[in-house]
Amino acid sequence: NGETKWQVLFPDVANRLEMEGEPVPAGSPLVIRHVQTGSFLASDEIPYANIFGTENEVHCNAYLSLNKTQNLVGEKKGELTGEVPLRKHGLPNIWTIRTATHDGY
């Protein structure tokens, strides 16, 4: 089902294209994008207590930097297109996949 597909991306947009298709080492930072909607998985680290213990809220939102990226200059020169992402992701969008070896097992 296409509604449940996620894509693991390199968090640095400047090197994302070069890293596409490369293996992702456990413990390295990454960004998780929902394929169908293009939304990015995020957590604002607000703890919630429930029957499973304390968990953090997870949602989809692109926390992108607010600085200007000069897209129009690059597009005018023919170096970029409007589809090239240039704004950096904020910390709520950065994830790390941990394995048992990271926890000292």
Side-chain angles (χ1 to χ4, degrees):
N1 184 329
E3 296 177 3
T4 58
K5 292 182 181 177
W6 295 86
Q7 184 179 23
V8 175
L9 301 170
F10 194 70
D12 183 4
V13 292
N15 297 323
R16 185 171 290 168
L17 188 60
E18 291 83 8
M19 297 301 292
E20 189 171 327
E22 294 295 320
V24 179
S28 63
L30 53 94
V31 176
I32 302 173
R33 185 180 73 87
H34 188 246
V35 172
Q36 188 173 15
T37 63
S39 299
F40 292 95
L41 195 64
S43 175
D44 49 13
E45 297 186 26
I46 297 174
Y48 290 96
N50 60 30
I51 62 172
F52 302 107
T54 302
E55 296 180 334
N56 290 334
E57 180 182 64
V58 175
H59 57 279
C60 285
N61 187 36
Y63 289 94
L64 301 173
S65 65
L66 300 176
N67 62 328
K68 296 193 181 281
T69 59
Q70 309 301 327
N71 292 26
L72 293 177
V73 174
E75 288 179 32
K76 182 178 179 183
K77 292 179 181 177
E79 299 168 352
L80 301 171
T81 65
E83 290 79 38
V84 176
L86 295 176
R87 292 170 43 197
K88 295 180 180 181
H89 287 278
L91 287 178
N93 289 126
I94 307 296
W95 295 84
T96 301
I97 297 177
R98 298 181 60 123
T99 63
T101 57
H102 287 96
D103 295 328
Y105 295 110

